[in-house]
Amino acid sequence: QVQLVESGGGLVQAGGSLRLSCASSGRTFSTSGMAWFRQAPGKDREFVAVISRSGGTSYADFVKGRFTIWRDNAKNMVYLRMNSLKLEDTAVYYCATDMYDRFGHYIESYDYWGQGTQVTVSS
């Protein structure tokens, strides 16, 4: 069983920045893929970014150039830096882990999920 705990969400003005953090209790963190997803009210959960165990990254088109994902294997942490935030970035952001490091963009690729952290972007 892996526990993921997100933090760092909050209220920010449009154009501002936030850094989300995700702490993992998994013993296999360093060999697992990690990702961020988000879910806005009334919408499906959607892929935001993924980082492989080797550090390769992939982003959803709508965050390219604005968001950065990285990991610290020594601390069992994954992060998401969000710059130039827009109103439409408002959502609950979830951290997820894939023990098989499939580098997936789909919910089904991920085995464990955090409880989410709310990000609200205001005008």
Side-chain angles (χ1 to χ4, degrees), residues 26-42:
R27 296 180 181 179
T28 58
F29 178 84
S30 64
T31 60
S32 298
M34 300 295 298
W36 289 94
F37 284 73
R38 70 186 188 185
Q39 188 166 17

Side-chain angles (χ1 to χ4, degrees), residues 5-79:
V5 180
E6 302 97 334
S7 61
L11 176 65
V12 62
Q13 286 191 323
S17 298
L18 280 176
R19 188 187 80 167
L20 305 183
S21 301
C22 173
S24 172
S25 68
R27 296 180 181 179
T28 58
F29 178 84
S30 64
T31 60
S32 298
M34 300 295 298
W36 289 94
F37 284 73
R38 70 186 188 185
Q39 188 166 17
K43 295 188 176 182
D44 292 335
R45 193 169 299 189
E46 62 182 356
F47 168 79
V48 174
V50 59
I51 185 165
S52 70
R53 63 183 181 182
S54 61
T57 59
S58 179
Y59 298 90
D61 287 344
F62 55 78
V63 303
K64 281 182 180 177
R66 299 190 299 125
F67 291 11
T68 302
I69 186 172
W70 74 101
R71 63 192 297 161
D72 185 337
N73 288 342
K75 296 181 179 179
N76 276 24
M77 297 287 294
V78 64
Y79 304 94

Side-chain angles (χ1 to χ4, degrees), residues 83-97:
N83 294 330
S84 303
L85 283 162
K86 304 176 181 181
L87 296 178
E88 53 265 40
D89 293 320
T90 294
V92 176
Y93 283 72
Y94 297 91
C95 173
T97 183

